[in-house]
Amino acid sequence: MNKAVKHIVDTTAAETRSLPIANRSIAVVGLGYVGLPVAVAFGEKTEVVGFDIKEQRVAELKEGIDATLELSPFVLKNADVEYVTDATALGVSDFIIIAVPTPINAQNQPDLTPLLRASHLVGRQLNKGDIVVYESTVYPGATEEDCIPVLEEASGLRAGIDFFVGYSPERINPGDHEHTFKTIKKIVSAQNQETLDIVAEVYEAVVEAGVHRASSIKVAEAAKIIENTQRDLNIALMNELAIIFDRMNIDTLEVLEAAGTKWNFLPFRPGLVGGHCIGVDPFYLTMKAESLGYHPEVILAGRRINDTMGRFIATSLVKNLIKQNMPVLGARVTVLGLSFKENVSDIRNSKVANLVKEIEEFGIEVQVTDRLVEKGDAKREYGIDLVDMADLKPADVVIFAVSHEEYVEGNWLLAQHLLKVGRGIVIDIKGMLEPAEKPEGVHLWRL
């Protein structure tokens, strides 16, 4: 379709094609956990171009397959999304949503490479009057200070004059089919009031929960970054309490259950904090703060606590082996789950992988199983050879690391089945097992 006439409705096709939302032709760049639900939601209302650089991902989506397990083939089939790897297809759209990852590097520094590459790619397709909306999580100022210059350089156009930019942070929660793109209120922001009105109207067409208009792009960026930072800090507090209570021989979850009877006690629990959001986003805020001459004490302290929980659990495992008169060197441990959270296949920044390495440093054999995770991905990312459940060898210790549905349903029977002659140690990181139902001959330690 010619760019100049893309808004003209072809009456001969009016019955087979839906009208644009707010007179805008929509494209989504990045079809991962964030971008795909966005593209599909809009695709249920109008024609959408869905772009990704991964050819395999696009090929699978064309066949109705979502490897992230977030959307069913039925949902994909009923959305009018054209999946492409050719960036020139973006040229027919004038409302382009960028939803690419914003990871950190090995030094815990923000890595804007995917975002800046996506900005350059989109910039080359920009035309006057277009609107670009970023959904990727960034530090306050990144959209205007880092992304817009790339768009301008690649397009030869001027932001705020020839094209316009908005920011609407993603709030996708992988594996959660109750709180979805449509049911979570959407924060929207833009360079000016006119653009904000358009961005709000576009999102209101698909987000049933409505939108919240932020006063500026920086406010919207900051709101997103503190959502995950707050959660990270609350979990860090629970993890520190777990370390303290372990030395006191007090069950942390029993303490939290008792404290939870107060109406305003927040129901956070200890655990491994990984993934591409909570374990990553705080570093974007702390980096920006430090560039302004302020060293954030509390946020970084929380990050240090959460990043060392794998070592604490591994050390506790060894202590329990010794207490149970079981040999440490040569012991065998079975770890249930590798993904960063329950019922998802994503292993990015999985702290279970860190736990495995910590355990292996004690000379302990570790076998990991997770049927949701691709074996090739586990090998490439962490050097871990996943084992099918049926091929697991009897273990001295079983670790419930991720609360996948099958492990929750398996419960104590699964633990007994995986232990040598049904006896040994069970490490319950997620608090999945009921201590009162513990079988005889099994020792339970939980975070």
Side-chain angles (χ1 to χ4, degrees):
M1 185 188 300
N2 187 288
K3 182 79 175 192
V5 298
K6 65 185 173 184
H7 293 317
I8 300 177
V9 178
D10 182 356
T11 55
T12 62
E15 293 182 358
T16 59
R17 187 181 66 194
S18 55
L19 294 173
I21 295 174
N23 292 321
R24 290 283 163 174
S25 181
I26 298 169
V28 177
V29 175
L31 300 174
Y33 278 93
V34 174
L36 182 61
V38 173
V40 168
F42 280 110
E44 293 173 351
K45 300 282 186 178
T46 187
E47 297 173 340
V48 174
V49 173
F51 172 86
D52 200 285
I53 60 174
K54 298 178 181 178
E55 293 184 359
Q56 181 178 347
R57 175 68 166 162
V58 169
E60 290 175 345
L61 291 173
K62 286 181 177 180
E63 296 297 320
I65 301 171
D66 175 21
T68 69
L69 308 178
E70 291 297 301
L71 300 178
S72 68
F74 175 81
V75 171
L76 292 176
K77 180 180 179 181
N78 284 276
D80 190 0
V81 181
E82 179 187 4
Y83 299 107
V84 301
T85 56
D86 181 4
T88 60
L90 300 173
V92 302
S93 302
D94 60 7
F95 192 97
I96 303 174
I97 299 170
I98 297 179
V100 297
T102 44
I104 54 176
N105 60 25
Q107 291 73 43
N108 290 331
Q109 293 296 308
D111 180 6
L112 291 179
T113 302
L115 191 61
L116 297 181
R117 286 178 177 172
S119 298
H120 183 267
L121 179 147
V122 168
R124 295 185 64 181
Q125 307 302 323
L126 280 182
N127 289 270
K128 289 187 176 182
D130 287 359
I131 294 176
V132 179
V133 178
Y134 289 89
E135 289 215 3
S136 305
T137 303
V138 292
Y139 48 78
T143 300
E144 293 161 299
E145 297 165 11
D146 297 286
C147 298
I148 285 181
V150 175
L151 290 173
E152 290 181 324
E153 181 180 3
S155 66
L157 303 174
R158 295 166 296 175
I161 299 175
D162 300 318
F163 70 93
F164 306 90
V165 174
Y167 181 76
S168 181
E170 61 89 5
R171 281 175 163 172
I172 299 295
N173 186 27
D176 186 344
H177 299 293
E178 177 182 356
H179 303 97
T180 65
F181 173 71
K182 294 180 181 179
T183 64
I184 302 173
K185 180 164 284 192
K186 203 82 167 68
I187 297 174
V188 294
S189 64
Q191 286 179 296
N192 55 44
Q193 186 60 48
E194 183 180 356
T195 305
L196 178 59
D197 290 339
I198 296 173
V199 173
E201 184 179 356
V202 168
Y203 278 106
E204 283 174 334
V206 292
V207 179
E208 298 165 2
V211 303
H212 173 85
R213 297 182 181 217
S215 61
S216 68
I217 289 177
K218 284 186 178 180
V219 167
E221 291 169 326
K224 171 57 184 178
I225 206 77
I226 69 167
E227 288 176 9
N228 288 337
T229 300
Q230 181 189 68
R231 184 166 177 78
D232 190 42
L233 285 172
N234 276 295
I235 298 174
L237 173 60
M238 297 301 107
N239 279 334
E240 188 164 52
L241 291 175
I243 294 171
I244 295 171
F245 292 148
D246 184 67
R247 296 191 177 197
M248 297 179 178
N249 198 29
I250 300 174
D251 188 294
T252 304
L253 297 187
E254 288 185 8
V255 175
L256 295 179
E257 182 182 2
T261 58
K262 189 167 187 274
W263 76 91
N264 61 351
F265 186 81
L266 301 178
F268 286 93
R269 301 178 74 169
L272 297 172
V273 183
H276 47 88
C277 290
I278 299 176
V280 170
D281 295 349
F283 286 120
Y284 274 73
L285 183 56
T286 58
M287 185 282 295
K288 185 64 175 180
E290 290 180 329
S291 73
L292 298 172
Y294 178 78
H295 181 71
E297 302 282 355
V298 176
I299 298 173
L300 288 174
R303 280 281 72 239
R304 285 193 295 271
I305 291 171
N306 287 340
D307 278 346
T308 58
M309 289 308 291
R311 185 180 309 158
F312 169 69
I313 295 170
T315 303
S316 298
L317 183 156
V318 171
K319 290 179 179 179
N320 277 275
L321 283 169
I322 295 172
K323 288 178 181 178
Q324 297 301 310
N325 294 316
M326 301 172 67
V328 174
L329 189 62
R332 181 182 296 137
V333 174
T334 291
V335 176
L336 300 178
L338 179 61
S339 62
F340 84 91
K341 67 174 293 188
E342 65 276 4
N343 303 321
V344 302
S345 60
D346 196 342
I347 59 173
R348 285 179 290 174
N349 194 31
S350 169
K351 296 306 179 183
V352 178
N354 294 50
L355 172 61
V356 170
K357 292 179 181 178
E358 293 283 354
I359 296 173
E360 288 177 334
E361 288 185 359
F362 287 101
I364 297 173
E365 176 189 347
V366 182
Q367 49 186 359
V368 185
T369 186
D370 192 325
R371 70 176 183 83
L372 296 182
V373 174
E374 290 289 337
K375 292 183 177 180
D377 292 341
K379 183 66 173 179
R380 281 190 299 272
E381 188 73 18
Y382 302 112
I384 293 177
D385 293 306
L386 290 178
V387 181
D388 293 333
M389 183 77 78
D391 297 328
L392 291 171
K393 300 175 183 178
D396 301 289
V397 182
V398 172
I399 300 178
F400 283 79
V402 184
S403 52
H404 288 326
E405 185 177 352
E406 64 178 307
Y407 305 152
V408 175
E409 293 177 352
N411 210 274
W412 283 113
L413 287 177
L414 175 60
Q416 279 189 297
H417 173 72
L418 297 176
L419 288 170
K420 293 179 180 177
V421 297
R423 305 172 72 88
I425 298 172
V426 171
I427 305 292
D428 185 11
I429 296 176
K430 301 293 293 183
M432 299 161 50
L433 305 173
E434 178 56 55
E437 299 174 1
K438 180 180 68 68
E440 185 177 352
V442 175
H443 174 73
L444 171 66
W445 182 90
R446 59 181 186 171
L447 190 59

